[in-house]
Amino acid sequence: MHISCSFLSLSPPLLLTAKMRPLLPTALLALISLTPLVQADYSNYDYSNQFAPAGSSPGNQSIDYIAPWPPKYRSWYGAWRVQLEDISSGVCNLSLAAYQGDTTARAALGPVRMYCWTHSNCILQTIPPHMAQSLTGASILLGLMPTILSLLGLSVAEMALLHMHRPLLSVLLSLSAPAVYPGRFLIWEDPLRANESHTGAWVIRAFPARWAVVISIAQYVLALAAIALNVHNAWTMGVRAVLVWYCDASYWPLLWVILSIVIHTIAVLSLRIAIRPKRPQPNSSVPPNSGGIPESSKARSNNPILAVLRSEFTISANSATQVRDHYSVRLGPFAVVLQYIGALAALIHLIFGTAMFSSLLYIGNGDAIPIVLRFMAAAIVSRVILQFEIGGMIRVGEDRAVWNGIVQPLIGHGGEGRGEEEGERKRLRL
Ligand SMILES: *[C@@H]1O[C@H](CO)[C@@H](O)[C@H](O)[C@H]1NC(C)=O
Ligand SMILES: *[C@@H]1O[C@H](CO)[C@@H](O)[C@H](O)[C@H]1NC(C)=O
């Protein structure tokens, strides 16, 4: 396809004004007075090669085509907003009008493969090279973003463990930290051991009942706020940027956020299949580090729905029992394979995110960093909530001390051999 190159046709005085353009956002007055000048700078785009070649499969877009809601090219990210608006409604005004459904503009343009792409072609051909470089740099940063976020994300085993205690909270957390820590493929991670006492882990002790309620509510509020931040961030990206593989659509970044539910579901299914209820032991004693809350056992005898609700809203530090008290793990091939599939799905989700975020156009370097920081903030919030819950489940045995709420290294003579053994096990699991 032949595309006429407009940069080469810039004459020397015009190059001079092109250099001045980055100064524009600094002074509004200068901006307003220079705008007509800037519009005059760009040379006209040649729309002659926008149709689909004869015999190609989707063909030319119908002249009655209506672009899906929300319309593209209405709002832009801040770094290059002025320039992009100038170009979009200036030299590219014909394809913009055609995209928005103006029939006379469409008639003037003639048949094109896609109205949305015709407009993007005009913009991309008109923007100066330094802007194009900024967009390229941003797309590398955004492409790496899912991987960076996954380092902060929850692991499949942790999500499954939390789900056993607090299903609703775990679903909220999986949405607020969409990039899952993928873990090692083909290594089974025991979710019921995700709360083992490692050296350096924070132990959360039981809180007074009133505080426990406040903390529980705060967890939901924080998780919901993190989700709102993610959804807003992803939707804004979808609307302001143009995805290379689907010009019209705005939902792809949001889809990436929501798809983390699938990984979560696979992880939970794997654990649900693997566990068997233990036979109730008569007179089983209250576990050592529990807060000794008696209501929980009372509720269990009452009403199963009430018991589930109570477990959902009780922070784990105040919960009288743990999953391990009620269930034991009996691994069948199905449960193991499901967790492998979960780890693979997390990886595919990362690849999908990398491909998608690196294909978003019109996000400048200066805009990519706040986008990444917002997703990171949400991921950190959900990570802290998860770690708080896991800290509440840690049971410290006789061989370790806890000092200032932190689990200390193994003590005693016999402990060392076991410590090595544990380290070995941990290495295998990682
Ligand atoms: C699209 O329109 C152009 C111009 O009319 C025409 O040459 C081409 O064959 C059309 N493409 C298809 C796939 O019909
Ligand atoms: C597009 O811009 C040109 C000048 O660059 C102007 O003559 C024309 O009227 C504009 N068309 C529309 C539809 O705004």
Side-chain angles (χ1 to χ4, degrees):
M1 191 194 282
H2 165 259
I3 298 167
S4 74
C5 187
S6 56
F7 305 132
L8 296 180
S9 59
L10 284 172
S11 57
L14 293 181
L15 272 175
L16 207 74
T17 52
K19 270 185 202 150
M20 282 162 56
R21 222 167 288 137
L23 296 173
L24 284 181
T26 57
L28 193 68
L29 207 68
L31 180 151
I32 293 165
S33 61
L34 275 180
T35 301
L37 238 172
V38 171
Q39 280 183 353
D41 279 353
Y42 304 114
S43 53
N44 285 330
Y45 181 68
D46 173 18
Y47 285 113
S48 58
N49 284 311
Q50 296 297 320
F51 55 83
S56 64
S57 77
N60 296 316
Q61 214 156 38
S62 151
I63 199 157
D64 315 312
Y65 175 78
I66 297 167
W69 186 90
K72 296 293 197 184
Y73 311 118
R74 282 271 174 85
S75 47
W76 309 90
Y77 273 109
W80 301 109
R81 175 181 291 135
V82 176
Q83 288 89 336
L84 286 169
E85 260 168 12
D86 272 350
I87 295 171
S88 175
S89 55
V91 286
C92 297
N93 65 1
L94 180 65
S95 50
L96 181 64
Y99 168 74
Q100 288 168 345
D102 186 331
T103 38
T104 50
R106 286 186 178 187
L109 207 55
V112 300
R113 200 176 67 83
M114 267 181 93
Y115 289 107
C116 183
W117 261 122
T118 302
H119 190 50
S120 260
N121 285 344
C122 175
I123 295 174
L124 290 176
Q125 191 63 73
T126 310
I127 57 173
H130 71 282
M131 248 174 89
Q133 282 303 317
S134 167
L135 304 188
T136 311
S139 87
I140 291 174
L141 179 59
L142 290 175
L144 283 174
M145 183 179 69
T147 313
I148 296 169
L149 290 177
S150 79
L151 299 180
L152 295 170
L154 323 181
S155 80
V156 172
E158 291 164 338
M159 286 198 307
L161 174 64
L162 184 63
H163 184 91
M164 297 301 294
H165 286 266
R166 311 185 62 182
L168 177 63
L169 184 67
S170 73
V171 169
L172 295 184
L173 289 188
S174 80
L175 279 174
S176 60
V180 176
Y181 181 73
R184 195 74 181 271
F185 184 50
L186 298 191
I187 301 281
W188 160 265
E189 258 189 279
D190 186 353
L192 298 192
R193 299 191 82 121
N195 61 341
E196 273 189 346
S197 58
H198 317 293
T199 307
W202 297 83
V203 178
I204 310 294
R205 296 256 164 72
F207 285 84
R210 201 181 309 146
W211 278 109
V213 171
V214 172
I215 291 171
S216 177
I217 292 171
Q219 287 175 330
Y220 291 104
V221 170
L222 280 174
L224 282 174
I227 294 176
L229 186 63
N230 274 348
V231 167
H232 176 260
N233 205 13
W235 179 251
T236 312
M237 277 174 102
V239 172
R240 293 189 181 173
V242 167
L243 184 63
V244 168
W245 70 62
Y246 205 142
C247 184
D248 280 330
S250 302
Y251 56 79
W252 286 90
L254 195 58
L255 184 70
W256 180 77
V257 170
I258 291 170
L259 274 182
S260 63
I261 287 285
V262 174
I263 305 166
H264 181 85
T265 311
I266 296 174
V268 170
L269 269 184
S270 158
L271 181 62
R272 287 265 169 198
I273 289 170
I275 53 178
R276 303 265 180 286
K278 278 183 183 165
R279 292 215 183 78
Q281 292 154 8
N283 240 345
S284 70
S285 60
V286 179
N289 89 324
S290 77
I293 309 291
E295 292 101 323
S296 162
S297 49
K298 226 193 294 166
R300 232 179 306 127
S301 54
N302 282 348
N303 186 343
I305 297 175
L306 209 68
V308 168
L309 280 180
R310 194 177 285 275
S311 151
E312 171 65 54
F313 293 104
T314 308
I315 61 173
S316 69
N318 281 36
S319 153
T321 57
Q322 295 200 358
V323 188
R324 266 194 285 187
D325 302 333
H326 301 305
Y327 299 98
S328 57
V329 171
R330 172 81 53 77
L331 282 179
F334 194 47
V336 173
V337 168
L338 255 185
Q339 207 194 44
Y340 295 167
I341 292 175
L344 202 62
L347 216 64
I348 291 171
H349 188 240
L350 282 188
I351 296 171
F352 167 56
T354 304
M356 195 255 305
F357 285 116
S358 63
S359 307
L360 292 171
L361 292 172
Y362 310 124
I363 301 178
N365 244 332
D367 303 310
I369 290 168
I371 290 174
V372 174
L373 288 183
R374 269 181 229 128
F375 276 127
M376 269 175 79
I380 288 172
V381 164
S382 64
R383 180 81 212 163
V384 167
I385 295 175
L386 178 88
Q387 217 50 48
F388 184 85
E389 284 297 297
I390 297 220
M393 294 180 212
I394 291 179
R395 283 179 192 175
V396 184
E398 294 290 300
D399 49 352
R400 284 172 189 271
V402 176
W403 185 67
N404 277 353
I406 298 175
V407 178
Q408 301 297 309
L410 284 168
I411 42 176
H413 217 63
E416 256 166 340
R418 283 175 53 200
E420 272 168 31
E421 208 181 289
E422 193 183 86
E424 195 63 49
R425 235 181 18 235
K426 222 174 286 166
R427 229 168 296 140
L428 280 178
R429 263 186 297 123
L430 277 175

